[in-house]
Amino acid sequence: MAENLKNEETKKEELPAEPPKPSVRTMVGDVQEYLKGKKISLAELLAQRSKKETETYEESWLNKFRPALYLAALILILTLAGFGAFWLRKTLNQPAIVKPANPALFIPAKQEKIIEIAGSDLNLFLGQWKEIFGLKLLPREFAAIHIFDAEQNKFLEAGDFFRLIKAPLPPFLLNSLGGRMNLGIMDTPRGTESVFIFEIKSYSEAFAGMLAWEKSLPKALADLLSSEIGLDRGDNNFQDLTIANHDARILKNRKDEIILAYAVFNRRILILAQSPAAFEAAIKQLSLFIQQ
């Protein structure tokens, strides 16, 4: 009896045995067993597989098109290099634009200023010209003004200057002009006043041309003269006058003030000045620096 009770207690303490595995193996079963061992879910396994397939596809795509990409990059580099070499060769072969030297002066100038224009822009020129009158000069000091055309890379000559200011010159005067000219302002007792000096090729033609130009001369130069003195000529005409031992032609305004004087110095240089003081100073300088 006691032995039977002991055997029953021993049986109760024994753990139940695991159910027997099926004799037939399936893929689902194998997967479940694998997942249990790896401690991973089926969804995670599928995600890893999908990622691996994507990476494999991308790597395969890159491997497939890598030569073409390398070729395209090489072509682009060669194209850019060729364009750069062409531009560099063109730049090196193209001569550098050198600004010409300032025109030579007929008389000494303590100051030289350059007015830069673009083509035939008269307003651009006049705006800068009027600023010139603000220069501080010593008594009888001359400031030379050069006009530089940036479009043509040249300093204006006499013919260019009169075309710029739209002054229709008589044919005799236009044909007699040489290339050289000096424009500028000079200190006088009346303030800073304009002085114009032009090289001429024919004295007779230049003088005849000036006589013909006297009627419109003050109007043609009005924008270039100092506004400190009235330019109204009234009914007055040019008159002969000797200034600094040189025969000159002068014009007075209604107040009997001389507003223009001109002469041909040494039969080679035409001088126009706004006052006898400026004219005399220019003549004296020319007498010292121009050979008779």
Side-chain angles (χ1 to χ4, degrees), residues 79-94:
T79 301
L80 293 176
F83 177 78
F86 171 78
W87 179 84
L88 181 61
R89 183 171 60 254
K90 183 178 179 181
T91 302
L92 293 176
N93 292 337
Q94 185 176 2

Side-chain angles (χ1 to χ4, degrees), residues 1-287:
M1 185 70 175
E3 185 177 350
N4 289 335
L5 291 172
K6 186 176 180 180
N7 290 335
E8 290 178 1
E9 291 177 356
T10 303
K11 291 179 180 181
K12 290 179 179 180
E13 292 178 355
E14 292 180 357
L15 295 175
E18 296 181 357
K21 295 183 179 179
S23 58
V24 180
R25 294 180 60 187
T26 64
M27 182 181 294
V28 174
D30 291 344
V31 170
Q32 289 177 345
E33 289 296 325
Y34 174 80
L35 294 179
K36 285 181 180 180
K38 295 294 184 179
K39 297 181 180 181
I40 187 173
S41 67
L42 180 60
E44 292 175 334
L45 179 64
L46 292 176
Q48 291 182 0
R49 182 175 181 181
S50 176
K51 181 179 179 181
K52 184 175 181 180
E53 289 177 352
T54 301
E55 292 176 350
T56 302
Y57 172 78
E58 291 177 351
E59 183 178 356
S60 175
W61 185 88
L62 288 174
N63 289 335
K64 181 178 180 181
F65 290 98
R66 184 175 282 114
L69 292 175
Y70 286 162
L71 180 60
L74 180 60
I75 293 174
L76 179 60
I77 293 173
L78 292 176
T79 301
L80 293 176
F83 177 78
F86 171 78
W87 179 84
L88 181 61
R89 183 171 60 254
K90 183 178 179 181
T91 302
L92 293 176
N93 292 337
Q94 185 176 2
I97 299 177
V98 180
K99 186 175 181 178
N102 291 357
L105 297 174
F106 288 108
I107 62 176
K110 295 296 184 181
Q111 301 184 53
E112 290 187 63
K113 301 293 183 181
I114 296 176
I115 292 179
E116 186 166 316
I117 62 171
S120 57
D121 192 339
L122 177 58
N123 291 329
L124 179 61
F125 165 69
L126 290 178
Q128 298 179 71
W129 175 268
K130 291 178 180 179
E131 293 178 358
I132 299 299
F133 288 96
L135 292 177
K136 302 299 181 182
L137 302 175
L138 297 175
R140 303 298 189 273
E141 188 174 83
F142 177 68
I145 311 301
H146 307 295
I147 308 172
F148 181 74
D149 186 346
E151 287 187 356
Q152 301 186 54
N153 191 41
K154 61 171 285 188
F155 285 98
L156 266 58
E157 296 183 343
D160 305 319
F161 166 68
F162 286 112
R163 282 190 290 271
L164 173 65
I165 65 173
K166 297 178 173 56
L169 300 184
F172 277 149
L173 179 57
L174 183 61
N175 294 335
S176 70
L177 291 175
R180 290 180 61 192
M181 71 172 181
N182 284 165
L183 313 178
I185 59 172
M186 185 172 289
D187 176 81
T188 73
R190 299 194 310 194
T192 51
E193 297 182 308
S194 303
V195 175
F196 310 93
I197 305 175
F198 302 98
E199 179 185 40
I200 60 172
K201 297 178 292 186
S202 170
Y203 167 76
S204 58
E205 288 189 358
F207 191 70
M210 287 300 299
L211 291 175
W213 196 32
E214 286 183 353
K215 293 181 179 180
S216 57
L217 178 55
K219 184 178 179 180
L221 298 181
D223 291 333
L224 306 178
L225 303 177
S226 171
S227 58
E228 297 299 320
I229 186 170
L231 301 177
D232 183 10
R233 67 189 291 171
D235 295 330
N236 296 325
N237 296 316
F238 277 84
Q239 306 170 20
D240 292 326
L241 183 69
T242 300
I243 304 176
N245 296 322
H246 280 78
D247 293 332
R249 297 277 290 172
I250 64 165
L251 177 67
K252 296 181 179 181
N253 62 10
R254 289 182 180 273
K255 296 180 180 181
D256 204 37
E257 299 169 315
I258 296 177
I259 57 175
L260 273 177
Y262 76 85
V264 178
F265 173 79
N266 199 25
R267 304 178 69 89
R268 292 187 296 158
I269 298 174
L270 173 63
I271 306 170
L272 291 92
Q274 195 171 347
S275 70
F279 182 89
E280 182 177 353
I283 286 288
K284 289 181 177 179
Q285 293 289 345
L286 286 170
S287 299

